[in-house]
Amino acid sequence: MSLIRDLADQIIQAHRSDDLCIPIPAFSINSPPPRIDNEAAADHYELAGALAAIEMGFIESDAKVLGKAWSRMTLHDDGGFNPFKWPSRPEHFDLLPWTRNMNPNAFKECPKRLGLYGVMPDADWVKRMVEAEIPTVQLRFKSEDRYKIRRQIKESVKAVESSKTLLFINDYWEEAIDAEAYGVHLGQEDLETADLEKIRGAGLRLGLSTHGYSELVIADRFCPSYIAMGAIFPTNLKKMPTAPQGLGRLYQYAKLMSHYPLVAIGGIDQDSIHAVSKSGVGSVAVVRAITQAKDPKAAVKHLQELMQS
């Protein structure tokens, strides 16, 4: 166990300033990485990687995925164990060994860069975003009244007709199919109940939410049109299953999943959007930065300028 502890401490020390972990005591790396015989190597590196991840604040499911990734990276990459590296390639995480263009079950393609992505509460806001010429908008309308839901979706679909704005419908995939929307956005919890074959067959694009490494791996199995990653910063708009991911983790997620269109989401405003957009994501989703602005149309323009600066 002392060997695994030593390896884990070296990983933590090497990355404690990378915005990947919660504040932790400083360790020192005074000795070279220990050598492990090949038979035990995989288990040792996996346990060390998982232990380090737990102590860096990753949830258990993410820590397990990271442990396996550390083992694959250490055993298969040149140079052996190096605590200053970080798993960042698809093969480290056993992601699908082909691009989405080669996967017959992939959902319909959407632009690699979806740009500024406004998440709006109703069809009136969708109309305002079309007028502001926002590249991508999501209708996140919450109601238990099916008539109101259908009406909101139909009005939103009509609003984007003959415009350059792409519309995704949050949650209500059946109504989105009926209204011939551009796409739907689902959470991981929806994967068990949504008829993905029906969504794919109808030609709708699919966006999936993720909140860490384990959910990124799950999302990859479905080969969606885009992957959303968050919450990057604290947000009160919805209850999140994990703590805010932060920029350090976002940059690593974006590097790992660069073969997908990516959307960063959660607590992003005009003060943080530039740093978020530099992570490599092709889209940044915002809510309050637009809906609470004095001039939403001007806010859209300003946010896009910040993304491109």
Side-chain angles (χ1 to χ4, degrees), residues 35-45 71 75:
R35 299 188 66 84
I36 307 174
D37 64 87
N38 290 334
E39 186 174 346
D43 288 343
H44 279 76
Y45 293 130
S71 179
L75 295 178

Side-chain angles (χ1 to χ4, degrees), residues 279-292:
S279 67
V281 297
S283 179
V284 180
V286 296
V287 185
R288 288 175 295 180
I290 295 176
T291 60
Q292 294 184 6

